[in-house]
Amino acid sequence: MSAQLPPLLQNAGVPFDLFISSLTEQLDKAQASMAIKARLGKLPLTFAVKEISLDLRAFVQILDDDIYLRPAGPGETEASSIKLQLTTITKPMIDENSVDYSTEDPKFSLREALGDQISETEQRQLERIGVRTVQQLNELKEKAGTDVIARLSRMPVNRLQQALLRAAAPRVTKVETGVGIGSSDTSGRVHLSAPGLRPGRLPRVRAAGESVAVVGAEDGRIVLAPMASQLGCEAEVDFGDGQFARVQLTEGQLGQWGAP
């Protein structure tokens, strides 16, 4: 490799995902260039990139959970043989088989919600099993349980339990203003995501020393109708059976478990 490259790239090669991304990016450029040429030249027939096969001889290394490829040099006969084949897919196929990163509000990402309860390494361990959002973590807990998540992600059970407890705290997902329910003191609606909510049980909520009206509570969601004086204040949410949390009635706020 060129001496101008960083030492890491000279010794370990390039990350595998970067290699694939660079390859497909250049193919996209070639495809776009041919499309422009066909349109400007008004050609009745042109070429297109459909399938490409590559046979590589390279050394494979794993550094910090990333796979690196270093092309074999002259005389390096112990390199691995890697066969790659690229084909074309349509946009519906991409949408169907790729991760939707827009399903969770950025304010409620794993890092934002769990804070110091999870390290970067542990976050990557969860991402390897498909958990990228707080919602996905809570859903997997309900379906598979803590032990299964810990085994698949290779996280210590106690660390995972702390993260799950933090993730299950109520959080304000939306605040609607100007929605009246027959009282001039009503400011609007506050929507909370509450994975700790139990079916058939209505939580008790208080803020600014007074009760907050609960107008809906089901499927892990709570809808509150606070008075204008309560909006923006810290609310106390009593789920029963000793489950007690505090959360500020402001959009994007994450709650914390505590004692009554």
Side-chain angles (χ1 to χ4, degrees), residues 201-216:
R201 177 169 294 182
L202 199 66
R204 295 193 298 270
V205 184
R206 293 181 61 84
E210 298 185 68
S211 297
V212 179
V214 180
V215 297

Side-chain angles (χ1 to χ4, degrees), residues 67-255:
I67 298 177
Y68 283 76
L69 297 180
R70 182 177 68 81
E76 294 182 321
T77 59
E78 297 180 354
S80 301
S81 296
I82 302 173
K83 298 182 182 294
L84 297 175
Q85 185 171 7
L86 281 75
T87 186
T88 55
I89 60 175
T90 61
K91 186 177 184 301
M93 295 170 65
I94 295 175
D95 295 338
E96 182 180 353
N97 294 282
S98 60
V99 177
D100 185 2
Y101 289 98
S102 63
T103 56
E104 183 85 353
D105 192 306
K107 295 188 293 294
F108 303 126
S109 65
L110 280 176
R111 171 59 56 189
E112 186 72 22
L114 302 183
D116 57 3
Q117 296 293 333
I118 187 173
S119 65
E120 291 186 6
T121 299
E122 291 167 338
Q123 181 176 345
R124 294 182 65 177
Q125 289 173 316
L126 289 173
E127 289 176 348
R128 287 196 202 99
I129 63 173
V131 177
R132 293 177 172 82
T133 66
V134 172
Q135 180 179 346
Q136 291 172 338
L137 181 59
N138 286 317
E139 288 177 353
L140 186 58
K141 177 189 175 184
E142 292 296 324
K143 294 178 181 179
T146 303
D147 291 339
V148 173
I149 301 176
R151 184 170 65 253
L152 294 178
S153 64
R154 298 181 180 179
M155 285 182 62
V157 175
N158 61 332
R159 291 282 296 163
L160 182 60
Q161 288 175 336
Q162 294 174 2
L164 288 169
L165 182 63
R166 178 73 180 270
R171 46 198 169 97
V172 180
T173 58
K174 183 170 62 174
V175 174
E176 297 176 318
T177 58
V179 182
I181 58 171
S183 172
S184 59
D185 293 332
T186 300
S187 176
R189 296 287 188 269
V190 176
H191 297 255
L192 278 73
S193 172
L197 180 65
R198 296 187 178 184
R201 177 169 294 182
L202 199 66
R204 295 193 298 270
V205 184
R206 293 181 61 84
E210 298 185 68
S211 297
V212 179
V214 180
V215 297
E218 60 180 355
D219 297 330
R221 306 285 177 179
I222 301 174
V223 181
L224 306 177
M227 295 183 292
S229 59
Q230 295 173 320
L231 196 61
C233 296
E234 183 180 74
E236 301 172 348
V237 185
D238 186 355
F239 293 95
D241 294 336
Q243 288 189 315
F244 188 88
R246 291 182 172 86
V247 61
Q248 186 175 339
L249 299 183
T250 303
E251 186 168 341
Q253 290 298 307
L254 304 167

